[in-house]
Amino acid sequence: MLIAANWKMHKTGRETVRFCRELRDRLAKLDAGVEVVVCPAYTSLDEAVEALFGTQIGVFAQNVHWEDHGAYTGEISAGMLVEIGVTGTLVSHSERRQLFGETDETAAKRVEAALKARLRTIACVGETDAEREAGEAEAVLERQVKAIRAVVPKGGTDLLTIAYEPVWAIGTGKTATPEQAEEAHAFIRKLLDVPVLYGGSVKPGNAAELFERAHVEGALVGGASLETDSFGAICEAAAAVPS
Ligand code: PGA
């Protein structure tokens, strides 16, 4: 089970350090079967790595560029992340797709570069409300997952995780039902055999019922990851699921 905190554009370096210390203390006795990572803003990655050094909690970035270096103002490469001790990254979050022009093609290039740099990679997929209403959810997932699958080297799936994040459930308080999540995860799993996390309004109150589903192998948590109490409770709910 993998539980990842996606902080988006929240928390300064100082706030990051405070959170990481609290989380470290809270999760000191967490079951070893649960892996926890935080994904701070670029400016706080360094501080998070330092604050969590020697703990079981990992630090991932929220995005990565596909080139090693070059004239790409405002971008960050995989090598830059690796050098400061970051061990993974999110890719193709729906906010990147919707607000910053991420396409299946650019998502695939990022996944390819991240895997090549040996970064753990959580690639996000998910349909919008309109797509689900139109009965296109599976077609959208298939297109998104196949674009990612095309760049995964043979035998190179060990570093890859998919996050199923229905866009209609992100930050809306509207969570997919465990049945909807299970169905989408099983569908994704048939296309690409890697662990699948669920994301979209995961909270302490609904985490356990999601984690009980066989195909839900963790969560990508936004809003509820900003406080140690709620994020800690979600990690504990994951630890309580019999493996
Ligand atoms: P949310 O965000 O938990 O606030 O819905 C999840 C995400 O965007 O990864």
Side-chain angles (χ1 to χ4, degrees):
M1 198 79 87
L2 169 64
I3 311 296
N6 175 13
W7 288 347
K8 311 189 179 186
M9 199 171 73
H10 293 284
K11 296 195 189 297
T12 63
R14 230 173 279 168
E15 289 163 345
T16 295
V17 170
R18 195 180 320 130
F19 181 101
C20 290
R21 288 188 181 146
E22 280 174 22
L23 190 68
R24 188 183 61 190
D25 294 346
R26 169 145 186 171
L27 298 185
K29 292 193 187 70
L30 195 74
D31 185 282
V34 179
E35 187 186 4
V36 177
V37 305
V38 294
C39 309
Y42 284 136
T43 48
S44 305
L45 287 171
D46 222 353
E47 275 129 315
V49 168
E50 197 182 320
L52 295 172
F53 184 77
T55 73
Q56 297 296 321
I57 305 168
V59 180
F60 285 17
Q62 296 176 14
N63 195 13
V64 65
H65 196 262
W66 53 86
E67 294 291 347
D68 293 340
H69 50 77
Y72 303 101
T73 303
E75 295 296 326
I76 304 282
S77 73
M80 294 170 180
L81 297 173
V82 170
E83 192 188 274
I84 61 167
V86 170
T87 53
T89 185
L90 304 180
V91 165
S92 64
H93 188 276
S94 69
E95 284 150 18
R96 302 295 322 167
R97 291 181 189 263
Q98 296 202 304
L99 306 173
F100 301 101
E102 185 86 280
T103 62
D104 288 338
E105 194 193 350
T106 55
K109 285 161 83 167
R110 293 181 207 280
V111 170
E112 191 173 19
L115 294 178
K116 197 168 140 226
R118 303 294 299 161
L119 284 171
R120 302 268 308 281
T121 305
I122 302 176
C124 306
V125 298
E127 80 285 359
T128 63
D129 205 11
E131 288 162 344
R132 178 163 277 261
E133 289 301 310
E136 291 165 3
E138 288 198 344
V140 170
L141 291 179
E142 184 166 347
R143 196 198 71 224
Q144 294 176 340
V145 172
K146 281 187 169 170
I148 293 161
R149 190 180 70 182
V151 298
V152 179
K154 247 206 166 79
T157 49
D158 57 319
L159 295 171
L160 182 64
T161 299
I162 297 285
Y164 169 60
E165 297 209 303
V167 178
W168 47 271
I170 295 179
T172 56
K174 227 166 92 180
T175 319
T177 63
E179 291 73 26
Q180 284 171 324
E182 173 90 327
E183 202 183 333
H185 288 214
F187 179 75
I188 292 167
R189 202 77 211 235
K190 268 194 248 148
L191 295 167
L192 184 57
D193 192 22
V194 298
V196 185
L197 314 181
Y198 170 76
S201 299
V202 176
K203 302 184 255 317
N206 60 25
E209 58 178 17
L210 286 160
F211 296 153
E212 276 160 14
R213 297 289 163 149
H215 291 293
V216 178
E217 286 152 287
L220 181 54
V221 188
S225 76
L226 294 173
E227 301 294 332
T228 28
D229 264 349
S230 46
F231 187 62
I234 292 168
C235 297
E236 285 154 9
V241 177
S243 50

mmCIF file of all heavy atoms in Angstrom, residues 147-169:
data_model
loop_
_atom_site.group_PDB
_atom_site.id
_atom_site.type_symbol
_atom_site.label_atom_id
_atom_site.label_comp_id
_atom_site.label_asym_id
_atom_site.label_seq_id
_atom_site.Cartn_x
_atom_site.Cartn_y
_atom_site.Cartn_z
ATOM 1 N N ALA A 147 -0.956 5.396 -23.595
ATOM 2 C CA ALA A 147 0.118 6.359 -23.903
ATOM 3 C C ALA A 147 1.288 6.156 -22.942
ATOM 4 O O ALA A 147 2.460 6.220 -23.330
ATOM 5 C CB ALA A 147 -0.416 7.788 -23.814
ATOM 6 N N ILE A 148 0.972 5.887 -21.695
ATOM 7 C CA ILE A 148 2.022 5.659 -20.687
ATOM 8 C C ILE A 148 2.693 4.304 -20.936
ATOM 9 O O ILE A 148 3.922 4.185 -20.935
ATOM 10 C CB ILE A 148 1.407 5.730 -19.269
ATOM 11 C CG1 ILE A 148 0.935 7.162 -18.987
ATOM 12 C CG2 ILE A 148 2.410 5.267 -18.208
ATOM 13 C CD1 ILE A 148 -0.061 7.276 -17.854
ATOM 14 N N ARG A 149 1.855 3.310 -21.174
ATOM 15 C CA ARG A 149 2.368 1.948 -21.378
ATOM 16 C C ARG A 149 3.388 1.889 -22.522
ATOM 17 O O ARG A 149 4.376 1.156 -22.461
ATOM 18 C CB ARG A 149 1.185 1.024 -21.681
ATOM 19 C CG ARG A 149 1.525 -0.439 -21.691
ATOM 20 C CD ARG A 149 0.305 -1.277 -21.994
ATOM 21 N NE ARG A 149 -0.146 -1.141 -23.375
ATOM 22 C CZ ARG A 149 -1.221 -1.749 -23.869
ATOM 23 N NH1 ARG A 149 -1.971 -2.523 -23.088
ATOM 24 N NH2 ARG A 149 -1.569 -1.600 -25.126
ATOM 25 N N ALA A 150 3.149 2.729 -23.523
ATOM 26 C CA ALA A 150 4.005 2.694 -24.715
ATOM 27 C C ALA A 150 5.462 3.075 -24.423
ATOM 28 O O ALA A 150 6.351 2.728 -25.197
ATOM 29 C CB ALA A 150 3.427 3.636 -25.776
ATOM 30 N N VAL A 151 5.703 3.787 -23.331
ATOM 31 C CA VAL A 151 7.079 4.238 -23.070
ATOM 32 C C VAL A 151 7.749 3.471 -21.928
ATOM 33 O O VAL A 151 8.893 3.756 -21.575
ATOM 34 C CB VAL A 151 7.134 5.756 -22.751
ATOM 35 C CG1 VAL A 151 6.651 6.570 -23.938
ATOM 36 C CG2 VAL A 151 6.340 6.088 -21.494
ATOM 37 N N VAL A 152 7.037 2.520 -21.363
ATOM 38 C CA VAL A 152 7.642 1.763 -20.256
ATOM 39 C C VAL A 152 8.552 0.693 -20.842
ATOM 40 O O VAL A 152 8.108 -0.118 -21.650
ATOM 41 C CB VAL A 152 6.549 1.094 -19.379
ATOM 42 C CG1 VAL A 152 7.189 0.297 -18.248
ATOM 43 C CG2 VAL A 152 5.613 2.148 -18.823
ATOM 44 N N PRO A 153 9.834 0.722 -20.479
ATOM 45 C CA PRO A 153 10.730 -0.280 -21.048
ATOM 46 C C PRO A 153 10.351 -1.686 -20.596
ATOM 47 O O PRO A 153 9.756 -1.852 -19.530
ATOM 48 C CB PRO A 153 12.107 0.120 -20.499
ATOM 49 C CG PRO A 153 11.842 1.013 -19.349
ATOM 50 C CD PRO A 153 10.486 1.598 -19.513
ATOM 51 N N LYS A 154 10.691 -2.651 -21.396
ATOM 52 C CA LYS A 154 10.407 -4.063 -21.052
ATOM 53 C C LYS A 154 10.961 -4.377 -19.673
ATOM 54 O O LYS A 154 12.108 -4.064 -19.379
ATOM 55 C CB LYS A 154 11.085 -4.967 -22.088
ATOM 56 C CG LYS A 154 10.116 -5.709 -22.947
ATOM 57 C CD LYS A 154 10.740 -7.000 -23.487
ATOM 58 C CE LYS A 154 9.665 -7.887 -24.055
ATOM 59 N NZ LYS A 154 9.237 -7.483 -25.392
ATOM 60 N N GLY A 155 10.157 -4.926 -18.830
ATOM 61 C CA GLY A 155 10.612 -5.278 -17.484
ATOM 62 C C GLY A 155 10.849 -4.050 -16.615
ATOM 63 O O GLY A 155 11.479 -4.127 -15.568
ATOM 64 N N GLY A 156 10.351 -2.894 -17.053
ATOM 65 C CA GLY A 156 10.631 -1.651 -16.317
ATOM 66 C C GLY A 156 9.445 -1.120 -15.531
ATOM 67 O O GLY A 156 9.370 0.078 -15.254
ATOM 68 N N THR A 157 8.528 -2.018 -15.175
ATOM 69 C CA THR A 157 7.339 -1.528 -14.475
ATOM 70 C C THR A 157 7.547 -1.426 -12.964
ATOM 71 O O THR A 157 6.680 -0.925 -12.256
ATOM 72 C CB THR A 157 6.125 -2.451 -14.725
ATOM 73 O OG1 THR A 157 6.531 -3.792 -14.477
ATOM 74 C CG2 THR A 157 5.592 -2.307 -16.132
ATOM 75 N N ASP A 158 8.692 -1.884 -12.464
ATOM 76 C CA ASP A 158 8.886 -1.915 -11.004
ATOM 77 C C ASP A 158 8.818 -0.525 -10.368
ATOM 78 O O ASP A 158 8.484 -0.397 -9.189
ATOM 79 C CB ASP A 158 10.211 -2.603 -10.645
ATOM 80 C CG ASP A 158 11.406 -1.942 -11.298
ATOM 81 O OD1 ASP A 158 11.293 -1.557 -12.492
ATOM 82 O OD2 ASP A 158 12.438 -1.772 -10.635
ATOM 83 N N LEU A 159 9.121 0.519 -11.136
ATOM 84 C CA LEU A 159 9.134 1.869 -10.553
ATOM 85 C C LEU A 159 7.842 2.631 -10.816
ATOM 86 O O LEU A 159 7.693 3.774 -10.393
ATOM 87 C CB LEU A 159 10.299 2.678 -11.138
ATOM 88 C CG LEU A 159 11.707 2.169 -10.811
ATOM 89 C CD1 LEU A 159 12.744 2.926 -11.628
ATOM 90 C CD2 LEU A 159 11.988 2.336 -9.324
ATOM 91 N N LEU A 160 6.922 1.997 -11.530
ATOM 92 C CA LEU A 160 5.731 2.731 -11.984
ATOM 93 C C LEU A 160 4.481 2.379 -11.185
ATOM 94 O O LEU A 160 4.226 1.225 -10.870
ATOM 95 C CB LEU A 160 5.493 2.424 -13.475
ATOM 96 C CG LEU A 160 4.323 3.143 -14.139
ATOM 97 C CD1 LEU A 160 4.550 4.654 -14.170
ATOM 98 C CD2 LEU A 160 4.116 2.626 -15.565
ATOM 99 N N THR A 161 3.719 3.411 -10.866
ATOM 100 C CA THR A 161 2.406 3.277 -10.224
ATOM 101 C C THR A 161 1.450 4.170 -10.996
ATOM 102 O O THR A 161 1.846 5.238 -11.459
ATOM 103 C CB THR A 161 2.490 3.751 -8.750
ATOM 104 O OG1 THR A 161 3.433 2.936 -8.060
ATOM 105 C CG2 THR A 161 1.161 3.677 -8.039
ATOM 106 N N ILE A 162 0.212 3.728 -11.135
ATOM 107 C CA ILE A 162 -0.809 4.590 -11.746
ATOM 108 C C ILE A 162 -1.700 5.130 -10.630
ATOM 109 O O ILE A 162 -2.008 4.409 -9.672
ATOM 110 C CB ILE A 162 -1.669 3.786 -12.754
ATOM 111 C CG1 ILE A 162 -0.828 3.268 -13.922
ATOM 112 C CG2 ILE A 162 -2.861 4.614 -13.245
ATOM 113 C CD1 ILE A 162 -0.443 4.311 -14.949
ATOM 114 N N ALA A 163 -2.085 6.400 -10.728
ATOM 115 C CA ALA A 163 -3.099 6.924 -9.806
ATOM 116 C C ALA A 163 -4.362 7.175 -10.606
ATOM 117 O O ALA A 163 -4.344 7.953 -11.573
ATOM 118 C CB ALA A 163 -2.631 8.205 -9.142
ATOM 119 N N TYR A 164 -5.451 6.476 -10.237
ATOM 120 C CA TYR A 164 -6.738 6.743 -10.873
ATOM 121 C C TYR A 164 -7.392 7.880 -10.107
ATOM 122 O O TYR A 164 -7.736 7.733 -8.928
ATOM 123 C CB TYR A 164 -7.629 5.498 -10.840
ATOM 124 C CG TYR A 164 -9.048 5.819 -11.243
ATOM 125 C CD1 TYR A 164 -9.328 6.361 -12.505
ATOM 126 C CD2 TYR A 164 -10.119 5.616 -10.373
ATOM 127 C CE1 TYR A 164 -10.622 6.687 -12.875
ATOM 128 C CE2 TYR A 164 -11.419 5.937 -10.746
ATOM 129 C CZ TYR A 164 -11.653 6.473 -11.996
ATOM 130 O OH TYR A 164 -12.937 6.810 -12.361
ATOM 131 N N GLU A 165 -7.510 9.025 -10.782
ATOM 132 C CA GLU A 165 -8.097 10.191 -10.139
ATOM 133 C C GLU A 165 -9.211 10.749 -11.022
ATOM 134 O O GLU A 165 -8.950 11.585 -11.899
ATOM 135 C CB GLU A 165 -7.030 11.269 -9.934
ATOM 136 C CG GLU A 165 -5.917 10.838 -9.022
ATOM 137 C CD GLU A 165 -5.318 12.044 -8.303
ATOM 138 O OE1 GLU A 165 -4.871 12.988 -8.981
ATOM 139 O OE2 GLU A 165 -5.327 12.047 -7.070
ATOM 140 N N PRO A 166 -10.449 10.291 -10.801
ATOM 141 C CA PRO A 166 -11.539 10.868 -11.588
ATOM 142 C C PRO A 166 -11.607 12.369 -11.329
ATOM 143 O O PRO A 166 -11.629 12.797 -10.172
ATOM 144 C CB PRO A 166 -12.779 10.137 -11.065
ATOM 145 C CG PRO A 166 -12.393 9.497 -9.772
ATOM 146 C CD PRO A 166 -10.914 9.332 -9.775
ATOM 147 N N VAL A 167 -11.582 13.140 -12.393
ATOM 148 C CA VAL A 167 -11.461 14.598 -12.239
ATOM 149 C C VAL A 167 -12.614 15.169 -11.425
ATOM 150 O O VAL A 167 -12.450 16.102 -10.649
ATOM 151 C CB VAL A 167 -11.360 15.265 -13.639
ATOM 152 C CG1 VAL A 167 -11.281 16.775 -13.514
ATOM 153 C CG2 VAL A 167 -10.146 14.731 -14.391
ATOM 154 N N TRP A 168 -13.782 14.555 -11.556
ATOM 155 C CA TRP A 168 -14.979 15.031 -10.831
ATOM 156 C C TRP A 168 -14.879 14.795 -9.332
ATOM 157 O O TRP A 168 -15.693 15.301 -8.567
ATOM 158 C CB TRP A 168 -16.236 14.379 -11.401
ATOM 159 C CG TRP A 168 -16.134 12.893 -11.608
ATOM 160 C CD1 TRP A 168 -15.691 12.262 -12.742
ATOM 161 C CD2 TRP A 168 -16.442 11.854 -10.678
ATOM 162 N NE1 TRP A 168 -15.709 10.901 -12.567
ATOM 163 C CE2 TRP A 168 -16.161 10.616 -11.308
ATOM 164 C CE3 TRP A 168 -16.933 11.847 -9.364
ATOM 165 C CZ2 TRP A 168 -16.350 9.390 -10.684
ATOM 166 C CZ3 TRP A 168 -17.122 10.620 -8.737
ATOM 167 C CH2 TRP A 168 -16.828 9.416 -9.386
ATOM 168 N N ALA A 169 -13.906 14.040 -8.906
ATOM 169 C CA ALA A 169 -13.788 13.755 -7.468
ATOM 170 C C ALA A 169 -12.656 14.547 -6.810
ATOM 171 O O ALA A 169 -12.498 14.514 -5.594
ATOM 172 C CB ALA A 169 -13.546 12.260 -7.264
#
